[in-house]
Amino acid sequence: MADSKCIVHIGLGKTGSSYIQSALDHLSQKGALASTCYPGLHEIEDFMKVQSGNGVELAHLLNPTLTPNWQRRDIHPPLRRLLTQHTEPEQTLLISSEMFSDSDSERFSIFREVLEGKGYEVTVLACIREIRGWIFSTYQQGVKRAALSETFDEFAETKLSEYTYATVTRLREMGDHLQVFPYQPSDLFQRFLQEIGEDPKLADSVPQKTVN
């Protein structure tokens, strides 16, 4: 029987994960989270600083493109840095990085096994966005960062089926205890707080930031 619960927030990409992580850090540093432990990797004072989540080191290990050579034991040091901050077992441990959504399914399963071996019941949490808006946000990022020259319609024509298939496949491979909620920028963090069992009103004390 599991001693504690762990939520692994996997994003997905372009669903406001950086904002969520900034808000979690803000509330965690204030001691405002009642039933959730969100370990910080380091003190972050600038709320506008873009983050990759407290699980980014683990997510890198689970991605064969970023870490082609790895062993199961490589998970333990970054996981230990998070677990040492989880001092109250009755609180749910929350690990977050949108990069988990790019994990190799076998490696992610091993990561879950390690957590379960340490007495955690694991839930995977994902935010789902309407597919065309999802692709448009990705397109805008490509225009800004990679100077895409094709029109959005041209981009969407080649990417719509690809993104749909990739998203469904990723979620299916996450295994049991998958929990999803819809992307809605206007109340994104309130919805997230509800999903993890916290008071949605805590969002009122978080600085406002553009969610895209």
Side-chain angles (χ1 to χ4, degrees):
M1 182 176 179
D3 297 322
S4 297
K5 294 182 179 180
C6 176
I7 294 176
V8 180
H9 171 227
I10 65 169
L12 302 165
K14 308 308 295 180
T15 59
S17 295
S18 292
Y19 176 78
I20 288 171
Q21 290 152 2
S22 293
L24 288 170
D25 262 328
H26 178 77
L27 294 177
S28 181
Q29 290 176 27
K30 289 175 59 179
L33 296 171
S35 58
T36 306
C37 171
Y38 182 74
L41 296 178
H42 38 71
E43 192 83 6
I44 296 176
E45 297 181 358
D46 181 6
F47 184 80
M48 299 302 291
K49 181 179 176 63
V50 175
Q51 302 186 45
S52 298
N54 63 5
V56 64
E57 293 179 78
L58 289 163
H60 270 261
L61 290 171
L62 305 186
N63 188 323
T65 301
L66 298 175
T67 315
N69 301 309
W70 86 306
Q71 296 182 29
R72 182 189 182 105
R73 65 169 179 258
D74 295 337
I75 291 174
H76 293 283
L79 182 57
R80 190 179 303 116
R81 285 191 282 276
L82 299 177
L83 296 183
T84 54
Q85 297 182 57
H86 186 212
T87 57
E88 300 182 34
E90 66 276 8
Q91 288 190 326
T92 298
L93 172 65
L94 177 58
I95 302 174
S96 174
S97 177
E98 70 179 65
M99 295 179 67
F100 279 126
S101 63
D102 294 322
S103 297
D104 172 77
S105 57
E106 184 176 347
R107 292 190 186 190
F108 192 84
S109 293
I110 291 172
F111 170 52
R112 288 187 60 157
E113 287 176 11
V114 171
L115 279 169
E116 289 165 357
K118 294 183 179 296
Y120 287 92
E121 177 185 337
V122 181
T123 296
V124 177
L125 179 61
C127 183
I128 304 298
R129 185 171 182 173
E130 182 273 324
I131 194 69
R132 191 169 178 83
W134 213 332
I135 295 174
F136 183 66
S137 183
T138 303
Y139 170 75
Q140 287 183 310
Q141 182 171 294
V143 170
K144 292 176 183 176
R145 297 184 181 179
L148 284 180
S149 58
E150 58 189 330
T151 66
F152 171 66
D153 286 340
E154 291 170 337
F155 181 81
E157 184 177 352
T158 59
K159 296 296 183 182
L160 182 59
S161 59
E162 177 185 325
Y163 268 61
T164 303
Y165 176 78
T167 300
V168 171
T169 300
R170 286 172 186 169
L171 294 177
R172 185 181 66 241
E173 290 177 345
M174 288 299 164
D176 298 334
H177 304 292
L178 174 65
Q179 183 175 327
V180 300
F181 68 103
Y183 173 83
Q184 183 64 43
S186 60
D187 62 352
L188 177 67
F189 193 52
Q190 289 95 324
R191 286 172 177 259
F192 184 88
L193 289 168
Q194 281 185 303
E195 294 294 324
I196 66 173
E198 293 286 347
D199 184 353
K201 293 180 181 178
L202 285 174
D204 296 338
S205 66
V206 175
Q208 295 301 305
K209 180 179 176 182
T210 301
V211 178
N212 56 31

